[in-house]
Structure formats: structure tokens, C-alpha cells
Amino acid sequence: MRKLTIASAQLGPLNKSDSRAAATKRLVELLREAHGMGAKFVVFPELAFTTFFPRWWMEDQAEVDRRYFEREMPGPDTRPLFDEARKLGIGFYIGYAELTPDSHRFNAAILVGPDGRLVGKYRKVHLPGHADHKPQAAFQHLEKKYFEVGNLGFRVWRFMDAITGMLICNDRRWPEAFRVLALQGAEIVALGFNTPTENLHYPEPPALRVHHHLIMAQSMAFQNATWLVETAKCGFEDGFRMFGHSVIVAPTGEIVAKSQTEEDEVIAYNADIDMASNLKRTMFNFAAHRRPEHYRLIVERVGAEVTPAEEGT
């Protein structure tokens, strides 16, 4: 039996006035708390070092780059987290805004081994929101303005004696992302998120948004026979609320741990990684039961179209 104690290190609000160094100090404290709970793998949130800046329309890209993007990871302000993780022997996932040497910008996440070595990188594929200015909106969701669509695809890595994949926030709403990871044998999926309590595009009660978040986590974990760790950055950031409900979900679809606040909080669970591989051999034995010859429409068509049924069918 392969056991791995995994933790979700939820982060409360980060405001415009909060520095990277201040954010990193809080992340280090969460890491130490997770270590005290026996965790060997910690999942931090999306865009963990800054406020969720895509809520604002900003025209000075150089200023945006300076305040919110990372040219190197770790950098001078973020290195203490990496040093502490190496000292404690903990691997982790963390999200940040990446500025590449050739001036491309991505919403990115990395896996870091317990020895401090970079194991893998993922760049967010499913960017939500819009790129145009909506000055009349209560807030904006401008990921399509500030980030490019990720170009690394959906990959897995042998990590902490488990096969691990990464996703970010809105990816959790798209079953194709999980299935591509599962087809590569993923046993753990790590995912950080920043999700507004209010829906920008249409009226939706906050409780319904949380309901959708939880049922998606349960269904994606179960249908792909994988452990799923989803970690929020949440609370009121400069007056704009994001919900918490960080979760650890078993391959059975059962929520085994969930956060209770919208502040800095660690939850942990001693996961049986073999539970994932056992389900992959039985109920979700892809090799035995999948029929990809009938799924071509999934990759051939982007938008929904009504296809009339043939006569006699």
C-alpha cells in the first residue's frame, strides 16, 4: 500500500498593498503547519504570490509585469518558500503569473520536489473571462487580456512515488483536461484556484457556485479514478470576495477533507495512492471499456451545433 499525506494550504486574501515577501512569509507558515500535520506534498493556490490582479483593467503593461509577474521562479522574494520546503523535505505545487524571457505571459503552476528541484510546469489552458474592457461591470475577469493560452498541454510526472498531473482553476470545469491526465495514468491531480463568489456573466447565488465547485471536484475525481487536491486563495481582496472550500477528494468521489474558513488554513489527509490504481483496473479500466472511435466529435468540434439525426435512427 502506497501512503502519502497530502495537504491543501489555503491562502486568505492578498490585497494590492501586500508584497511578494509578505505573501511568501504566510506561505512558509502554512508549509510549516502542513509539516506538523505530517504532510509530504502540499498544494498551494493559483497566483499565490499576489492579489488576483485580472479583476482590474490596467493599461501600463510594464507596471503590470513589475507588480504581478515573475521573471524567475524562485526569485529573491519567493526563495524562502523553496528553502523551507527543502529543509523540511516537502514537495509542493504552486501557481504564479509567469513572464518568459521572450515576453510571453502565462498563468502557470509548478511541481517542486522535496529536494527543491523543479519537477514540472503547467500553463493554464482554459482561460475564463474576457479581454475587452467592461467599465460598467462591478469587477472584471481579464485573464484573456493578461495571459496567453497555455502551450505545454496536459502532462503527468512521476512525483513522490505517484503519477501526478497539474491543472489550474477553470480547467476543473472541463472534463477533457482530467481525462487526458487520466489516460496517462494520473493518480493525483493538483489544482489551485481563485474563484469570485459573484458570477460576472449572469446572476447566480453564491451557494450555487460553491455547489457546482464541489460536485465538479467529486465527479472529476471519481470518473478519472484519481486523488484530487483543489486549493483556494479566498476571502475579501480589496473588497472583492472569492470563496474557499478547498478540498481533498478521494478516487471514490468522497470529500475526505474540506476547509472551513476563507482565511489561511491547512487541511491534510493520509491518502492511499493505490486506491486510484485499483479503480483504474476495475470500474474505470479504460483499455477494456473506452470506445474512442465514437468520441471523435470531442476533438473535431469546438462549439455546440445541432446535428439532425439520420432517418430511421
Side-chain angles (χ1 to χ4, degrees), residues 13-18 51-52 55-56 138-139 196-198 234-243 262:
L14 286 172
N15 296 308
K16 275 185 173 181
S17 59
D18 292 321
T51 193
F52 186 69
R55 67 171 61 94
W56 290 294
F139 66 96
T197 300
E198 181 182 352
C234 53
F236 286 91
E237 289 194 340
D238 291 310
F240 300 94
R241 188 180 184 184
M242 299 183 297
F243 67 70
E262 291 182 348

PDB file of all heavy atoms in Angstrom, residues 13-18 51-52 55-56 138-139 196-198 234-243 262:
ATOM      1  N   PRO A  13      -7.061  36.272   1.820  1.00  0.00           N
ATOM      2  CA  PRO A  13      -6.913  37.344   0.829  1.00  0.00           C
ATOM      3  C   PRO A  13      -5.532  37.979   0.810  1.00  0.00           C
ATOM      4  O   PRO A  13      -4.875  38.145   1.836  1.00  0.00           O
ATOM      5  CB  PRO A  13      -7.979  38.360   1.263  1.00  0.00           C
ATOM      6  CG  PRO A  13      -8.246  38.063   2.698  1.00  0.00           C
ATOM      7  CD  PRO A  13      -8.079  36.584   2.839  1.00  0.00           C
ATOM      8  N   LEU A  14      -5.103  38.327  -0.408  1.00  0.00           N
ATOM      9  CA  LEU A  14      -3.929  39.163  -0.633  1.00  0.00           C
ATOM     10  C   LEU A  14      -4.409  40.435  -1.324  1.00  0.00           C
ATOM     11  O   LEU A  14      -5.066  40.352  -2.362  1.00  0.00           O
ATOM     12  CB  LEU A  14      -2.904  38.455  -1.515  1.00  0.00           C
ATOM     13  CG  LEU A  14      -2.095  37.325  -0.887  1.00  0.00           C
ATOM     14  CD1 LEU A  14      -1.284  36.606  -1.952  1.00  0.00           C
ATOM     15  CD2 LEU A  14      -1.179  37.863   0.208  1.00  0.00           C
ATOM     16  N   ASN A  15      -4.080  41.573  -0.763  1.00  0.00           N
ATOM     17  CA  ASN A  15      -4.522  42.836  -1.333  1.00  0.00           C
ATOM     18  C   ASN A  15      -3.424  43.479  -2.176  1.00  0.00           C
ATOM     19  O   ASN A  15      -2.273  43.042  -2.178  1.00  0.00           O
ATOM     20  CB  ASN A  15      -4.955  43.781  -0.218  1.00  0.00           C
ATOM     21  CG  ASN A  15      -6.156  43.237   0.540  1.00  0.00           C
ATOM     22  OD1 ASN A  15      -7.167  42.874  -0.064  1.00  0.00           O
ATOM     23  ND2 ASN A  15      -6.028  43.144   1.852  1.00  0.00           N
ATOM     24  N   LYS A  16      -3.789  44.507  -2.924  1.00  0.00           N
ATOM     25  CA  LYS A  16      -2.807  45.222  -3.755  1.00  0.00           C
ATOM     26  C   LYS A  16      -1.605  45.678  -2.946  1.00  0.00           C
ATOM     27  O   LYS A  16      -0.477  45.708  -3.439  1.00  0.00           O
ATOM     28  CB  LYS A  16      -3.464  46.443  -4.411  1.00  0.00           C
ATOM     29  CG  LYS A  16      -4.190  46.179  -5.709  1.00  0.00           C
ATOM     30  CD  LYS A  16      -4.672  47.503  -6.297  1.00  0.00           C
ATOM     31  CE  LYS A  16      -5.272  47.340  -7.683  1.00  0.00           C
ATOM     32  NZ  LYS A  16      -5.705  48.635  -8.261  1.00  0.00           N
ATOM     33  N   SER A  17      -1.841  46.035  -1.709  1.00  0.00           N
ATOM     34  CA  SER A  17      -0.770  46.588  -0.872  1.00  0.00           C
ATOM     35  C   SER A  17       0.163  45.520  -0.314  1.00  0.00           C
ATOM     36  O   SER A  17       1.203  45.852   0.259  1.00  0.00           O
ATOM     37  CB  SER A  17      -1.389  47.371   0.286  1.00  0.00           C
ATOM     38  OG  SER A  17      -2.228  46.531   1.066  1.00  0.00           O
ATOM     39  N   ASP A  18      -0.190  44.246  -0.452  1.00  0.00           N
ATOM     40  CA  ASP A  18       0.628  43.167   0.101  1.00  0.00           C
ATOM     41  C   ASP A  18       1.793  42.846  -0.837  1.00  0.00           C
ATOM     42  O   ASP A  18       1.603  42.627  -2.036  1.00  0.00           O
ATOM     43  CB  ASP A  18      -0.210  41.915   0.322  1.00  0.00           C
ATOM     44  CG  ASP A  18      -1.239  42.088   1.422  1.00  0.00           C
ATOM     45  OD1 ASP A  18      -0.902  42.728   2.439  1.00  0.00           O
ATOM     46  OD2 ASP A  18      -2.369  41.593   1.269  1.00  0.00           O
ATOM     47  N   THR A  51      -2.300  39.459  -5.263  1.00  0.00           N
ATOM     48  CA  THR A  51      -3.750  39.537  -5.366  1.00  0.00           C
ATOM     49  C   THR A  51      -4.191  39.028  -6.738  1.00  0.00           C
ATOM     50  O   THR A  51      -3.380  38.904  -7.665  1.00  0.00           O
ATOM     51  CB  THR A  51      -4.215  40.993  -5.161  1.00  0.00           C
ATOM     52  OG1 THR A  51      -5.636  41.019  -4.971  1.00  0.00           O
ATOM     53  CG2 THR A  51      -3.850  41.876  -6.347  1.00  0.00           C
ATOM     54  N   PHE A  52      -5.481  38.729  -6.887  1.00  0.00           N
ATOM     55  CA  PHE A  52      -5.990  38.272  -8.184  1.00  0.00           C
ATOM     56  C   PHE A  52      -6.145  39.491  -9.096  1.00  0.00           C
ATOM     57  O   PHE A  52      -7.228  40.058  -9.256  1.00  0.00           O
ATOM     58  CB  PHE A  52      -7.324  37.542  -8.016  1.00  0.00           C
ATOM     59  CG  PHE A  52      -7.820  36.919  -9.295  1.00  0.00           C
ATOM     60  CD1 PHE A  52      -7.167  35.830  -9.857  1.00  0.00           C
ATOM     61  CD2 PHE A  52      -8.916  37.449  -9.952  1.00  0.00           C
ATOM     62  CE1 PHE A  52      -7.615  35.269 -11.046  1.00  0.00           C
ATOM     63  CE2 PHE A  52      -9.369  36.893 -11.141  1.00  0.00           C
ATOM     64  CZ  PHE A  52      -8.714  35.806 -11.693  1.00  0.00           C
ATOM     65  N   ARG A  55      -8.785  41.134 -12.070  1.00  0.00           N
ATOM     66  CA  ARG A  55     -10.071  41.813 -11.837  1.00  0.00           C
ATOM     67  C   ARG A  55     -10.021  43.282 -12.245  1.00  0.00           C
ATOM     68  O   ARG A  55     -11.052  43.953 -12.290  1.00  0.00           O
ATOM     69  CB  ARG A  55     -10.496  41.683 -10.375  1.00  0.00           C
ATOM     70  CG  ARG A  55      -9.621  42.405  -9.381  1.00  0.00           C
ATOM     71  CD  ARG A  55     -10.236  42.422  -7.979  1.00  0.00           C
ATOM     72  NE  ARG A  55     -10.414  41.099  -7.446  1.00  0.00           N
ATOM     73  CZ  ARG A  55      -9.536  40.459  -6.660  1.00  0.00           C
ATOM     74  NH1 ARG A  55      -8.399  41.052  -6.329  1.00  0.00           N
ATOM     75  NH2 ARG A  55      -9.786  39.263  -6.194  1.00  0.00           N
ATOM     76  N   TRP A  56      -8.802  43.803 -12.526  1.00  0.00           N
ATOM     77  CA  TRP A  56      -8.667  45.218 -12.859  1.00  0.00           C
ATOM     78  C   TRP A  56      -8.173  45.413 -14.293  1.00  0.00           C
ATOM     79  O   TRP A  56      -7.277  44.696 -14.756  1.00  0.00           O
ATOM     80  CB  TRP A  56      -7.672  45.907 -11.922  1.00  0.00           C
ATOM     81  CG  TRP A  56      -8.173  46.062 -10.524  1.00  0.00           C
ATOM     82  CD1 TRP A  56      -9.209  46.831 -10.093  1.00  0.00           C
ATOM     83  CD2 TRP A  56      -7.650  45.413  -9.362  1.00  0.00           C
ATOM     84  NE1 TRP A  56      -9.362  46.716  -8.737  1.00  0.00           N
ATOM     85  CE2 TRP A  56      -8.418  45.844  -8.262  1.00  0.00           C
ATOM     86  CE3 TRP A  56      -6.601  44.524  -9.152  1.00  0.00           C
ATOM     87  CZ2 TRP A  56      -8.173  45.414  -6.964  1.00  0.00           C
ATOM     88  CZ3 TRP A  56      -6.355  44.081  -7.855  1.00  0.00           C
ATOM     89  CH2 TRP A  56      -7.138  44.525  -6.787  1.00  0.00           C
ATOM     90  N   ALA A 138     -19.188  45.450 -12.145  1.00  0.00           N
ATOM     91  CA  ALA A 138     -18.767  45.613 -10.756  1.00  0.00           C
ATOM     92  C   ALA A 138     -17.307  45.209 -10.579  1.00  0.00           C
ATOM     93  O   ALA A 138     -16.584  45.778  -9.754  1.00  0.00           O
ATOM     94  CB  ALA A 138     -19.659  44.774  -9.843  1.00  0.00           C
ATOM     95  N   PHE A 139     -16.879  44.231 -11.319  1.00  0.00           N
ATOM     96  CA  PHE A 139     -15.477  43.830 -11.385  1.00  0.00           C
ATOM     97  C   PHE A 139     -15.278  43.154 -12.734  1.00  0.00           C
ATOM     98  O   PHE A 139     -16.243  42.872 -13.448  1.00  0.00           O
ATOM     99  CB  PHE A 139     -15.105  42.868 -10.248  1.00  0.00           C
ATOM    100  CG  PHE A 139     -15.794  41.537 -10.334  1.00  0.00           C
ATOM    101  CD1 PHE A 139     -15.158  40.444 -10.919  1.00  0.00           C
ATOM    102  CD2 PHE A 139     -17.075  41.361  -9.834  1.00  0.00           C
ATOM    103  CE1 PHE A 139     -15.786  39.218 -11.005  1.00  0.00           C
ATOM    104  CE2 PHE A 139     -17.715  40.130  -9.908  1.00  0.00           C
ATOM    105  CZ  PHE A 139     -17.068  39.055 -10.501  1.00  0.00           C
ATOM    106  N   PRO A 196     -14.239  34.010  -7.864  1.00  0.00           N
ATOM    107  CA  PRO A 196     -15.123  35.023  -7.287  1.00  0.00           C
ATOM    108  C   PRO A 196     -16.436  34.421  -6.809  1.00  0.00           C
ATOM    109  O   PRO A 196     -16.990  33.511  -7.442  1.00  0.00           O
ATOM    110  CB  PRO A 196     -15.352  36.006  -8.443  1.00  0.00           C
ATOM    111  CG  PRO A 196     -14.196  35.796  -9.370  1.00  0.00           C
ATOM    112  CD  PRO A 196     -13.860  34.339  -9.259  1.00  0.00           C
ATOM    113  N   THR A 197     -16.949  34.929  -5.699  1.00  0.00           N
ATOM    114  CA  THR A 197     -18.246  34.488  -5.185  1.00  0.00           C
ATOM    115  C   THR A 197     -19.368  34.883  -6.133  1.00  0.00           C
ATOM    116  O   THR A 197     -20.361  34.180  -6.269  1.00  0.00           O
ATOM    117  CB  THR A 197     -18.482  35.098  -3.792  1.00  0.00           C
ATOM    118  OG1 THR A 197     -17.444  34.663  -2.921  1.00  0.00           O
ATOM    119  CG2 THR A 197     -19.826  34.679  -3.222  1.00  0.00           C
ATOM    120  N   GLU A 198     -19.175  36.020  -6.823  1.00  0.00           N
ATOM    121  CA  GLU A 198     -20.185  36.513  -7.765  1.00  0.00           C
ATOM    122  C   GLU A 198     -19.813  36.116  -9.185  1.00  0.00           C
ATOM    123  O   GLU A 198     -18.650  36.170  -9.578  1.00  0.00           O
ATOM    124  CB  GLU A 198     -20.266  38.040  -7.669  1.00  0.00           C
ATOM    125  CG  GLU A 198     -21.307  38.675  -8.574  1.00  0.00           C
ATOM    126  CD  GLU A 198     -21.318  40.193  -8.469  1.00  0.00           C
ATOM    127  OE1 GLU A 198     -20.629  40.731  -7.582  1.00  0.00           O
ATOM    128  OE2 GLU A 198     -21.998  40.841  -9.290  1.00  0.00           O
ATOM    129  N   CYS A 234      -8.686  32.947  -1.192  1.00  0.00           N
ATOM    130  CA  CYS A 234     -10.089  33.317  -0.980  1.00  0.00           C
ATOM    131  C   CYS A 234     -10.223  34.460   0.022  1.00  0.00           C
ATOM    132  O   CYS A 234      -9.227  35.003   0.514  1.00  0.00           O
ATOM    133  CB  CYS A 234     -10.867  32.093  -0.504  1.00  0.00           C
ATOM    134  SG  CYS A 234     -10.134  31.282   0.941  1.00  0.00           S
ATOM    135  N   GLY A 235     -11.470  34.830   0.280  1.00  0.00           N
ATOM    136  CA  GLY A 235     -11.757  35.939   1.163  1.00  0.00           C
ATOM    137  C   GLY A 235     -11.893  37.245   0.398  1.00  0.00           C
ATOM    138  O   GLY A 235     -11.927  37.273  -0.836  1.00  0.00           O
ATOM    139  N   PHE A 236     -11.994  38.349   1.110  1.00  0.00           N
ATOM    140  CA  PHE A 236     -12.197  39.664   0.509  1.00  0.00           C
ATOM    141  C   PHE A 236     -10.845  40.291   0.153  1.00  0.00           C
ATOM    142  O   PHE A 236     -10.102  40.706   1.030  1.00  0.00           O
ATOM    143  CB  PHE A 236     -12.959  40.577   1.465  1.00  0.00           C
ATOM    144  CG  PHE A 236     -14.417  40.254   1.592  1.00  0.00           C
ATOM    145  CD1 PHE A 236     -14.854  39.376   2.580  1.00  0.00           C
ATOM    146  CD2 PHE A 236     -15.353  40.796   0.727  1.00  0.00           C
ATOM    147  CE1 PHE A 236     -16.207  39.073   2.711  1.00  0.00           C
ATOM    148  CE2 PHE A 236     -16.704  40.492   0.839  1.00  0.00           C
ATOM    149  CZ  PHE A 236     -17.127  39.624   1.836  1.00  0.00           C
ATOM    150  N   GLU A 237     -10.556  40.347  -1.151  1.00  0.00           N
ATOM    151  CA  GLU A 237      -9.353  41.023  -1.639  1.00  0.00           C
ATOM    152  C   GLU A 237      -9.754  42.407  -2.127  1.00  0.00           C
ATOM    153  O   GLU A 237     -10.467  42.531  -3.129  1.00  0.00           O
ATOM    154  CB  GLU A 237      -8.700  40.229  -2.780  1.00  0.00           C
ATOM    155  CG  GLU A 237      -8.041  38.939  -2.329  1.00  0.00           C
ATOM    156  CD  GLU A 237      -7.126  38.353  -3.394  1.00  0.00           C
ATOM    157  OE1 GLU A 237      -7.258  38.702  -4.588  1.00  0.00           O
ATOM    158  OE2 GLU A 237      -6.271  37.534  -3.031  1.00  0.00           O
ATOM    159  N   ASP A 238      -9.302  43.431  -1.403  1.00  0.00           N
ATOM    160  CA  ASP A 238      -9.666  44.810  -1.767  1.00  0.00           C
ATOM    161  C   ASP A 238     -11.167  44.948  -1.996  1.00  0.00           C
ATOM    162  O   ASP A 238     -11.623  45.662  -2.899  1.00  0.00           O
ATOM    163  CB  ASP A 238      -8.883  45.270  -2.996  1.00  0.00           C
ATOM    164  CG  ASP A 238      -7.403  45.464  -2.700  1.00  0.00           C
ATOM    165  OD1 ASP A 238      -7.096  46.151  -1.706  1.00  0.00           O
ATOM    166  OD2 ASP A 238      -6.570  44.920  -3.439  1.00  0.00           O
ATOM    167  N   GLY A 239     -11.945  44.252  -1.170  1.00  0.00           N
ATOM    168  CA  GLY A 239     -13.400  44.353  -1.216  1.00  0.00           C
ATOM    169  C   GLY A 239     -14.090  43.359  -2.131  1.00  0.00           C
ATOM    170  O   GLY A 239     -15.322  43.298  -2.158  1.00  0.00           O
ATOM    171  N   PHE A 240     -13.332  42.578  -2.894  1.00  0.00           N
ATOM    172  CA  PHE A 240     -13.907  41.595  -3.820  1.00  0.00           C
ATOM    173  C   PHE A 240     -13.751  40.202  -3.217  1.00  0.00           C
ATOM    174  O   PHE A 240     -12.643  39.763  -2.911  1.00  0.00           O
ATOM    175  CB  PHE A 240     -13.202  41.656  -5.180  1.00  0.00           C
ATOM    176  CG  PHE A 240     -13.315  42.997  -5.851  1.00  0.00           C
ATOM    177  CD1 PHE A 240     -12.332  43.953  -5.694  1.00  0.00           C
ATOM    178  CD2 PHE A 240     -14.422  43.305  -6.638  1.00  0.00           C
ATOM    179  CE1 PHE A 240     -12.424  45.192  -6.312  1.00  0.00           C
ATOM    180  CE2 PHE A 240     -14.528  44.540  -7.258  1.00  0.00           C
ATOM    181  CZ  PHE A 240     -13.535  45.488  -7.090  1.00  0.00           C
ATOM    182  N   ARG A 241     -14.877  39.496  -3.074  1.00  0.00           N
ATOM    183  CA  ARG A 241     -14.852  38.222  -2.353  1.00  0.00           C
ATOM    184  C   ARG A 241     -14.631  37.044  -3.295  1.00  0.00           C
ATOM    185  O   ARG A 241     -15.227  36.954  -4.373  1.00  0.00           O
ATOM    186  CB  ARG A 241     -16.166  38.031  -1.598  1.00  0.00           C
ATOM    187  CG  ARG A 241     -16.155  36.827  -0.667  1.00  0.00           C
ATOM    188  CD  ARG A 241     -17.485  36.701   0.054  1.00  0.00           C
ATOM    189  NE  ARG A 241     -17.461  35.621   1.022  1.00  0.00           N
ATOM    190  CZ  ARG A 241     -18.516  35.240   1.744  1.00  0.00           C
ATOM    191  NH1 ARG A 241     -19.673  35.881   1.601  1.00  0.00           N
ATOM    192  NH2 ARG A 241     -18.414  34.245   2.594  1.00  0.00           N
ATOM    193  N   MET A 242     -13.782  36.111  -2.841  1.00  0.00           N
ATOM    194  CA  MET A 242     -13.604  34.825  -3.508  1.00  0.00           C
ATOM    195  C   MET A 242     -13.886  33.728  -2.489  1.00  0.00           C
ATOM    196  O   MET A 242     -13.542  33.857  -1.309  1.00  0.00           O
ATOM    197  CB  MET A 242     -12.190  34.681  -4.066  1.00  0.00           C
ATOM    198  CG  MET A 242     -11.848  35.725  -5.111  1.00  0.00           C
ATOM    199  SD  MET A 242     -10.209  35.505  -5.848  1.00  0.00           S
ATOM    200  CE  MET A 242      -9.161  35.730  -4.408  1.00  0.00           C
ATOM    201  N   PHE A 243     -14.522  32.641  -2.956  1.00  0.00           N
ATOM    202  CA  PHE A 243     -14.886  31.609  -1.980  1.00  0.00           C
ATOM    203  C   PHE A 243     -13.746  30.623  -1.751  1.00  0.00           C
ATOM    204  O   PHE A 243     -12.846  30.472  -2.558  1.00  0.00           O
ATOM    205  CB  PHE A 243     -16.193  30.896  -2.353  1.00  0.00           C
ATOM    206  CG  PHE A 243     -16.178  30.050  -3.595  1.00  0.00           C
ATOM    207  CD1 PHE A 243     -15.483  28.847  -3.660  1.00  0.00           C
ATOM    208  CD2 PHE A 243     -16.933  30.427  -4.709  1.00  0.00           C
ATOM    209  CE1 PHE A 243     -15.516  28.049  -4.788  1.00  0.00           C
ATOM    210  CE2 PHE A 243     -16.975  29.633  -5.851  1.00  0.00           C
ATOM    211  CZ  PHE A 243     -16.255  28.438  -5.883  1.00  0.00           C
ATOM    212  N   GLU A 262     -12.405  31.212   5.144  1.00  0.00           N
ATOM    213  CA  GLU A 262     -11.877  31.915   3.978  1.00  0.00           C
ATOM    214  C   GLU A 262     -10.591  32.642   4.366  1.00  0.00           C
ATOM    215  O   GLU A 262     -10.294  33.719   3.875  1.00  0.00           O
ATOM    216  CB  GLU A 262     -12.926  32.882   3.405  1.00  0.00           C
ATOM    217  CG  GLU A 262     -14.107  32.165   2.771  1.00  0.00           C
ATOM    218  CD  GLU A 262     -15.131  33.099   2.153  1.00  0.00           C
ATOM    219  OE1 GLU A 262     -15.061  34.321   2.403  1.00  0.00           O
ATOM    220  OE2 GLU A 262     -16.007  32.611   1.410  1.00  0.00           O
TER     221      GLU A 262
END
